[in-house]
DNA sequence: TTGCTCCTCACGTCACGTGAGGTGGC
DNA sequence: TTGCTCCTCACGTCACGTGAGGTGGC
């Protein structure tokens, strides 16, 4: 559980980013080395490669690095004391509430096409598409966090 | 239909932004004056005040101004020739497809809580919450575009 | 020695504005 | 004259890195 740790170069090449970027992310607290080697080299867990992938997909959804830091903070918070930027961690029930709300919204949108003009539909399609990609990212992320349960619907 | 046009100062103060910002948005093609006055003053439609509100809420969702330009381009495209940045306008069916997909995803997420740990739930709640706000913005926007139909579910 | 790392200071780019100042018509 | 506008050039800030160079241990 601590033998297959990776140095920065290996992490970077597996994740497909530059060493400099791994260094940068580490400085931000987005990545936390499991420990340091005798020679003061940072040693990362292999799972940090997935973590970088997760970071990149969240970034692609327009989420800022400091939000991502909060979001993925579970482990990092134990290792490092203070990051706090006044963002309260969501309650477990929050997911349920959001899903219920989403459901209502989806139903409202279903009834829209009849009254809406072409341009309005285009705007909605773009925004809903964006939301949909966001949730797809969430599902992929949760699969990684859960270690490979098979939950993601096709398309 | 062309008498109650507004000059930049009036638009700005109604929208709660600076004149400079209205100027800036106009330069980007986000706003297009209905016409110019004799003295070359830009004359905006009163609805441009709502438009600015829409722009601000989309910005708040992390959508870039040039995306917003595309998104709201319906009228603007008739007035000004080329903005094109290679973004194809979404088909009318696209909304339906996204909604169907969203539906499937919401169902998948409903089954998650039993297997997922606290941290995973927190991450999901954040992302789903974000998606939900995005769609709420879409609904508000569509209400404006449609001129006040009553479609938005509470909360 | 070579190749890796660490760390730090600075620079680069892009998005999103904002300031300031000279212009002209009402 | 005053207050509005237009336009333009430049500057400011923030996020997100990237470059370069000196350091030290393997």
């Amino acid at each position: 559980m601590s033998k297959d740790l990776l140095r920065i170069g290996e992490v970077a090449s597996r994740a497909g980013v530059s060493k400099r970027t791994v260094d940068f992310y580490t400085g931000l607290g987005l990545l936390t080395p499991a420990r340091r080697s005798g020679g003061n080299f940072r040693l990362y867990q292999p799972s940090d490669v997935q973590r970088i992938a997760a970071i990149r997909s969240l970034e692609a959804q327009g989420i800022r690095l400091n939000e991502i830091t909060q979001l993925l903070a579970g482990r990092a918070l134990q290792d490092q004391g203070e990051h706090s930027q006044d963002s309260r961690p969501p309650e477990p029930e929050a997911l349920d509430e959001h899903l219920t709300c989403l459901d209502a919204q989806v139903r409202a949108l279903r009834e829209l096409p009849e009254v809406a003009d072409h341009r309005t539909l285009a705007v909605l399609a773009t925004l809903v598409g964006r939301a949909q990609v966001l949730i797809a990212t969430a599902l992929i992320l949760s699969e990684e966090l859960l270690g490979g349960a098979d939950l993601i619907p096709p398309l």
Side-chain angles (χ1 to χ4, degrees), chain A residues 4-5 8-9 20-22 28-29 51 62 67-68 75 80 102 105 109 114 120 123 144 149 153-154:
Chain A
D4 49 357
L5 296 176
I8 195 171
R20 198 64 190 76
T21 295
V22 175
L28 292 181
R51 189 178 172 95
E67 279 188 80
I68 298 176
R75 187 191 56 187
Q80 336 176 278
L102 248 185
Q105 291 171 327
L109 284 166
E114 337 175 345
T120 301
V123 171
E144 281 170 14

Side-chain angles (χ1 to χ4, degrees), chain A residues 8-9 14 21-22 26 31-32 44 47 52 56 58 61 68 89 97 102 114 121 123 131:
Chain A
I8 195 171
R14 290 197 195 182
T21 295
V22 175
T26 304
L31 295 172
T32 307
Y44 296 90
S47 63
I52 292 171
R56 303 301 272 198
L58 291 170
Q61 301 313 307
I68 298 176
E97 286 173 23
L102 248 185
E114 337 175 345
L121 288 179
V123 171

Side-chain angles (χ1 to χ4, degrees), chain A residues 50 91-92 103 116:
Chain A
Q50 324 285 338
E91 301 299 318
D103 233 30

Side-chain angles (χ1 to χ4, degrees), chain A residues 43-118:
Chain A
L43 297 176
Y44 296 90
Q45 250 144 12
S47 63
D48 281 331
V49 174
Q50 324 285 338
R51 189 178 172 95
I52 292 171
I55 292 166
R56 303 301 272 198
S57 26
L58 291 170
E59 274 194 273
Q61 301 313 307
I63 300 177
R64 299 201 190 284
L65 292 183
N66 60 18
E67 279 188 80
I68 298 176
T69 305
Q70 307 294 330
L71 209 59
L72 301 180
R75 187 191 56 187
L77 281 182
Q78 297 162 8
D79 298 336
Q80 336 176 278
E82 297 210 352
H83 267 295
S84 52
Q85 241 189 45
D86 208 89
S87 83
R88 38 292 174 250
E91 301 299 318
E93 312 86 39
L95 176 57
D96 227 69
E97 286 173 23
H98 286 139
L99 287 174
T100 301
C101 190
L102 248 185
D103 233 30
Q105 291 171 327
V106 168
R107 264 178 276 117
L109 284 166
R110 288 267 187 220
E111 295 174 12
L112 213 46
E114 337 175 345
V115 279
D117 60 297
H118 189 278

